Amino acid sequence: MSFYSDTSIEDLSDELATLGWYHYNLSRHAAEALLLSNGSDGSYLLRNSNDGPGCFALSVRAKDSVKHFQVMRRDGVYMFGFNEFPTFQDFINHFANQPLLGSDTGTLMVLKCPYPCRVEEPSIYESVRVHTAIQSGRTQDDLVAIAPALGTKEGYLVKQGAFVKNWKQRWFTLNRYELKYFKDKMCEEPIRTLDLKSCSAVQFDYSQDRVNCFCLVFPERTFYLCAKTGVEADEWIKILQWKLSQIRKGR
């Protein structure tokens, strides 16, 4: 699953590898997408942090948002908030008790359920589809599996025009298999909706005289977009490429 970077796990014998809700190199944006799309209030997961070795992030869904908290590990001791856990098992037991977590903004969250690292989504959707066909008296071929595609993202990107090759900032939203762009964040009606089912490739682009540029290839047109930073461009590319991989699996 391309949400996860290609960085290899330093040591597969690491005790964290046995933790079912440890998501390794899952990015911040991908964690938010997973928890908001498939999680529930109180869902949480542990992932690596960009702060360096021994630094992790606990991502927690709090209603319609996701909060991130630092977890440290030094010499086998886990530090989370004001608590220190001398062993890995003590750390796990703490979360098994569904602790109450308070943030700096005053938000109180109960850590209810860990979000598993690997979810067998396709088999779940297949069983529901067959069940619906039997209950409705229709054949399975009459039904279309409308399973929610994991991952949402939004933000400003600079887009090249179709005819006049100028560049304008637009607000983009990615939900399921639709990439929409608006004049700005406050607009309710999109300028255009791109159906990713028709997209053949998403990749970095170096043909334009701009940095942090990537392109989406459609049969009738290639869309050129630029992000503010290389990291942001990489995040867009990864989540879009993952969407395309899910579309191909369903064909």
Side-chain angles (χ1 to χ4, degrees):
M1 181 174 173
S2 60
F3 275 156
Y4 300 86
S5 73
D6 294 331
T7 305
S8 62
I9 303 168
E10 292 182 1
D11 183 3
L12 285 174
S13 64
D14 189 296
E15 58 191 5
L16 280 175
T18 65
L19 188 61
W21 42 279
Y22 172 47
H23 288 243
Y24 301 98
N25 294 315
L26 187 71
S27 71
R28 179 189 180 100
H29 283 296
E32 292 172 352
L34 285 176
L35 291 172
L36 290 174
S37 296
N38 258 35
S40 57
D41 189 24
S43 296
Y44 60 90
L45 59 84
L46 186 69
R47 57 185 176 83
N48 290 344
S49 169
N50 294 327
D51 293 336
C55 297
F56 307 92
L58 185 77
S59 300
V60 184
R61 175 167 174 176
K63 296 183 179 179
D64 295 326
S65 66
V66 175
K67 309 292 184 183
H68 305 275
F69 303 90
Q70 188 178 58
V71 177
M72 302 287 292
R73 181 177 65 178
R74 292 176 184 168
D75 299 325
V77 176
Y78 289 81
M79 290 162 281
F80 178 54
F82 295 109
N83 297 317
E84 289 191 8
F85 305 95
T87 68
F88 177 64
Q89 192 58 50
D90 290 332
F91 179 66
I92 301 307
N93 291 342
H94 175 72
F95 288 94
N97 293 326
Q98 296 191 352
L100 184 66
L101 186 64
S103 69
D104 292 337
T105 59
T107 303
L108 292 177
M109 295 159 281
V110 178
L111 301 183
K112 297 178 182 177
C113 52
Y115 189 94
C117 183
R118 293 290 180 260
V119 181
E120 297 296 333
E121 303 289 351
S123 62
I124 294 173
Y125 295 136
E126 181 67 20
S127 64
V128 171
R129 184 174 62 177
V130 173
H131 174 75
T132 304
I134 294 171
Q135 292 297 318
S136 63
R138 300 162 64 189
T139 66
Q140 184 174 340
D141 294 335
D142 292 334
L143 300 172
V144 178
I146 308 177
L150 293 177
T152 59
K153 187 170 175 59
E154 59 183 22
Y156 279 106
L157 294 170
V158 179
K159 186 185 76 69
Q160 186 187 63
F163 303 106
V164 180
K165 301 299 182 180
N166 57 349
W167 295 81
K168 292 184 179 179
Q169 180 174 266
R170 295 288 184 246
W171 177 256
F172 281 77
T173 64
L174 175 62
N175 187 39
R176 301 200 178 207
Y177 298 129
E178 290 185 340
L179 180 66
K180 299 180 181 181
Y181 60 89
F182 304 75
K183 185 176 181 180
D184 57 50
K185 187 177 181 179
M186 303 307 296
C187 291
E188 295 183 0
E189 292 297 322
I191 297 174
R192 185 167 181 173
T193 299
L194 302 178
D195 185 355
L196 294 180
K197 295 186 181 72
S198 302
C199 181
S200 60
V202 180
Q203 60 197 26
F204 269 109
D205 183 84
Y206 304 98
S207 65
Q208 307 300 311
D209 189 22
R210 281 178 171 262
V211 296
N212 310 323
C213 189
F214 61 98
C215 64
L216 288 81
V217 182
F218 287 83
E220 75 284 358
R221 177 183 168 189
T222 297
F223 290 81
Y224 295 96
L225 308 172
C226 291
K228 288 184 179 179
T229 66
V231 172
E232 187 177 351
D234 186 59
E235 289 175 349
W236 275 104
I237 291 171
K238 283 182 177 178
I239 195 169
L240 286 165
Q241 287 179 339
W242 181 79
K243 294 278 190 179
L244 296 189
S245 72
Q246 298 305 298
I247 292 171
R248 294 184 185 116
K249 286 180 182 179
R251 287 175 178 170

